[in-house]
Amino acid sequence: MDIAAHSIGLSNERKEIAEFISGFSIEVTPKAAAKIEDLRSVLRPGTSVYITFLTGSDFSDTIALAERLRREGLNPVPHFAARSLPNHAFVEDALRKLKDRADIEQVLLIGGAGRQIGEYPDTMQLLATGLFDRFGITRIGVAGHPEGSPDISDAAIRSALAWKNDLAKRSNAQFHIVTQFCFEAEPIIAWDKRIQSEGNRLPIHIGIPGLATIKTLAAHAKACGVGPSARFIFKQALNLAKLMTVSTPAKLIADLARYRATDPECGISNVHFFPLGGIQKTAGWAYAVVDEEVEFERSIRMRADVQRRENAAAQ
């Protein structure tokens, strides 16, 4: 390939990648958001910001952050963790306050970690209340598991996704899937193809780990029960000299962008970042990619070289 053709190829790839992550969403906890004076200094107007709800948290913190995000020109997306919700009255009150104070239009529904404390064993029971339609929620995210879940059987996951696809046809809201984060494209692509063959028609917002040290990524992967795609991170974590090395999701994003650009059946529509190493770091990097200001190819080559050395050492 001559230099001109190679340059055109790189330019096209950069555009595919930039288009793939433009309009990304991102997560933040109330505690992390409180450390940032004004989120407009970190995120661009209209960005969808998912408000993480951790087991044992006070939901009033979610409401306060949603109000702040709306005031700062961002789109608040509160999590509703079914097993952590006490009862119908609580959900109704929470939605009323979120609507009145933050004019929310979008939510993410998850089963949640830990034991069930109230009426809802899963998100299907939560959706069956009809409260989200009643309060004018127009976009509803539901959980996706490309590598399975330690808390739910594969059969139950498939049944629940089929139920949600059916509900989406009858609901006033638009449904989409938001997945757990993965570290490699192959299991994501295989999962997308499989659930499409089984009838999924909900667009997928794919979970991507943000910039973080190897130590931080390994800790989160272990805590969240991330599947086989985390093996590269765990191998790196065994090398003490690499624990504080910052890893980027460059190769994962490039592989998924190529999949979306070349396969018309691809079900992935958006990128959702888990900023495990801090929202400022991940958002800054992502915007640099969108604006085509980063040396993406160099990041991909560096990770590929490390993987080759690891594979050669294991043989």
Side-chain angles (χ1 to χ4, degrees):
M1 180 184 295
D2 61 34
I3 294 176
H6 179 66
S7 297
I8 292 173
L10 288 179
S11 176
N12 288 339
E13 182 180 27
R14 289 193 188 103
K15 291 185 185 306
E16 288 170 1
I17 292 168
E19 180 182 342
F20 179 54
I21 72 167
S22 64
F24 67 83
S25 57
I26 197 164
E27 297 218 351
V28 67
T29 65
K31 183 177 179 180
K35 297 177 182 178
I36 303 172
E37 184 175 349
D38 191 331
L39 284 160
R40 285 172 290 194
S41 66
V42 179
L43 299 169
R44 293 178 180 175
T47 300
S48 290
V49 183
Y50 287 59
I51 306 171
T52 307
F53 183 79
L54 303 175
T55 303
S57 299
D58 186 339
F59 202 83
S60 64
D61 293 337
T62 290
I63 296 170
L65 179 53
E67 186 176 15
R68 175 190 167 187
L69 290 169
R70 181 64 72 193
R71 187 170 62 248
E72 294 180 359
L74 301 165
N75 176 42
V77 185
H79 287 199
F80 280 81
R83 287 189 286 275
S84 295
L85 300 169
N87 51 48
H88 184 97
F90 179 93
V91 179
E92 183 175 24
D93 182 64
L95 282 169
R96 181 177 292 107
K97 289 175 179 175
L98 284 164
K99 196 70 178 179
D100 290 346
R101 293 170 54 180
D103 194 25
I104 64 157
E105 300 174 343
Q106 184 176 353
V107 298
L108 174 65
L109 307 184
I110 59 174
R115 64 181 180 86
Q116 180 182 338
I117 68 167
E119 296 180 4
Y120 307 108
D122 53 48
T123 55
M124 290 182 288
Q125 297 297 318
L126 188 56
L127 283 163
T129 65
L131 285 171
F132 298 95
D133 274 347
R134 175 182 157 193
F135 280 94
I137 303 303
T138 58
R139 288 177 289 169
I140 296 176
V142 295
H145 307 278
E147 297 184 287
S149 168
D151 303 314
I152 317 169
S153 70
D154 289 345
I157 290 173
R158 292 182 182 188
S159 176
L161 184 56
W163 187 92
K164 290 165 188 173
N165 268 269
D166 182 64
L167 177 64
K169 298 173 184 176
R170 298 178 279 109
S171 173
N172 294 328
Q174 294 181 330
F175 280 65
H176 59 276
I177 296 170
V178 183
T179 77
Q180 64 188 156
F181 61 88
C182 300
F183 292 95
E184 294 180 336
E186 290 79 5
I188 294 170
I189 294 170
W191 169 77
D192 176 35
K193 291 179 180 294
R194 177 178 64 76
I195 64 173
Q196 285 192 71
S197 72
E198 294 170 350
N200 177 63
R201 295 298 177 265
L202 305 184
I204 297 166
H205 296 199
I206 197 71
I208 302 285
L211 272 68
T213 64
I214 297 295
K215 180 180 180 180
T216 297
L217 291 175
H220 279 279
K222 184 177 180 180
C224 298
V226 175
S229 74
R231 63 185 179 272
F232 172 77
I233 294 297
F234 289 135
K235 284 182 181 179
Q236 296 299 296
L238 295 175
N239 186 333
L240 294 179
K242 295 179 180 178
L243 280 179
M244 301 313 293
T245 301
V246 174
S247 176
T248 78
K251 185 176 186 303
L252 171 58
I253 287 174
D255 290 345
L256 291 176
R258 170 53 53 180
Y259 169 51
R260 195 176 84 152
T262 57
D263 190 333
E265 301 302 316
C266 173
I268 300 171
S269 64
N270 293 77
V271 165
H272 178 67
F273 279 113
F274 292 83
L276 307 177
I279 190 170
Q280 298 100 320
K281 189 183 299 182
T282 292
W285 181 85
Y287 288 129
V289 173
V290 171
D291 296 338
E292 300 182 48
E293 295 175 351
V294 298
E295 295 183 48
F296 217 77
E297 297 80 12
R298 181 171 178 270
S299 298
I300 295 169
R301 287 197 305 271
M302 287 174 65
R303 174 162 172 172
D305 288 343
V306 171
Q307 287 180 309
R308 280 194 293 270
R309 287 197 296 270
E310 293 287 345
N311 293 338
Q315 293 176 353

